[in-house]
Amino acid sequence: MQKDYKKVEASQVVISELMLPSHSNFNGKIHGGYILSLLDQIAFACASKHSGAYCVTASVDTVDFLRPIEIGELVTMKASVNYVGRSSMVIGIRVEAENIQTGDTKHCNSSYFTMVAKNNQGESVEVPGLILQNDNEIRRFAKSIKRNKMKKKRVQEFHETDFSSERYLHLLEEHKVKIEKD
C-alpha cells in the first residue's frame, strides 16, 4: 500500500550530462529536441518515483528555452513534483548549464510536464498527495493550479463550435497579417 502523502524532496531527481558535438544542431548549439528528450526522461523518473507506478506524458505545458547550451557544457536538470491531482502530477524542471572550465552557470530552461500514473492494464491510478514544507513548494503548487485553470480555458476556447471569424478580427489588428477572403 502506498503512503497517502509524500514530501516533495522524496521524489526529486537530478541528472547531469556533458553536452557532446553529436547533440548539436546546425548552428553549433545543443539541439532543443535533444534537451526535450532529456526533459521527458527526468519527468518520467520523478513522476514514477512519486507515484510508484509507470507514468506517461500527458502534456508539456511549458518549455521556455531561455539561453542556448554550448557543446562541452555540463547540463544539470532538477525535477520536482509541483502539483498532484487524482492520477496526474505536474513535474517542474529547471535546466542549468555549467562551463566546466570557468565554473560559470546559467539558467537555460524551465519546463512543466504533466504526467499520469498508470497500472499494468493502462488505467490511470491514484497518486499520493504532497506534503508542502516551505513557501517555495506552496508557490509552485499554487502556480500549477493557476496554469491548469488557464489550460482548461484554452482548451475550451479551441473547441468552440460556433466559431465566427468576425468575432476575432479585432485581435488581429496589431499583428502582421493580411486577410484575403474569397
Side-chain angles (χ1 to χ4, degrees):
M1 183 71 187
Q2 291 181 341
K3 293 181 183 179
D4 291 323
Y5 292 86
K6 287 184 174 181
K7 294 179 180 179
V8 172
E9 66 189 19
S11 308
Q12 290 177 324
V13 177
V14 178
I15 62 170
S16 294
E17 184 172 332
L18 185 64
M19 293 296 104
L20 303 174
S22 61
H23 304 140
S24 67
N25 60 24
F26 295 113
N27 201 26
K29 308 296 182 193
I30 300 306
H31 196 284
Y34 183 72
I35 298 300
L36 284 171
S37 174
L38 293 176
L39 289 167
D40 194 49
Q41 290 175 41
I42 194 170
F44 168 82
C46 184
S48 296
K49 195 172 177 182
H50 179 78
S51 67
Y54 178 78
C55 293
V56 297
T57 305
S59 70
V60 181
D61 301 320
T62 305
V63 179
D64 293 323
F65 291 100
L66 305 172
R67 300 180 69 189
I69 299 171
E70 308 291 336
I71 295 168
E73 289 184 324
L74 182 65
V75 168
T76 300
M77 296 186 176
K78 302 171 185 176
S80 294
V81 178
N82 287 1
Y83 169 87
V84 295
R86 192 193 75 73
S87 62
S88 66
M89 297 152 280
V90 173
I91 309 301
I93 309 164
R94 180 181 174 94
V95 179
E96 296 176 343
E98 177 185 359
N99 179 315
I100 56 176
Q101 294 173 329
T102 66
D104 291 339
T105 61
K106 59 187 176 185
H107 179 205
C108 296
N109 185 302
S110 290
S111 304
Y112 301 96
F113 280 59
T114 300
M115 309 295 287
V116 177
K118 301 282 187 175
N119 63 17
N120 291 338
Q121 290 73 42
E123 301 162 331
S124 298
V125 296
E126 194 164 344
V127 300
L130 272 182
I131 299 170
L132 305 177
Q133 296 184 290
N134 57 52
D135 285 343
N136 198 36
E137 292 173 356
I138 293 167
R139 178 185 58 78
R140 288 176 177 168
F141 197 95
K143 282 191 168 192
S144 291
I145 292 170
K146 201 171 188 177
R147 262 193 311 281
N148 283 344
K149 285 181 181 180
M150 291 185 325
K151 182 178 174 184
K152 285 179 184 177
K153 185 178 178 183
R154 262 192 336 267
V155 168
Q156 193 175 33
E157 284 181 6
F158 282 118
H159 287 90
E160 285 183 0
T161 55
D162 63 338
F163 177 81
S164 169
S165 62
E166 285 74 27
R167 287 176 39 201
Y168 295 92
L169 289 176
H170 70 281
L171 297 173
L172 307 178
E173 292 171 359
E174 296 180 22
H175 296 275
K176 190 175 182 178
V177 64
K178 185 169 132 181
I179 300 170
E180 295 181 352
K181 289 176 92 173
D182 291 334

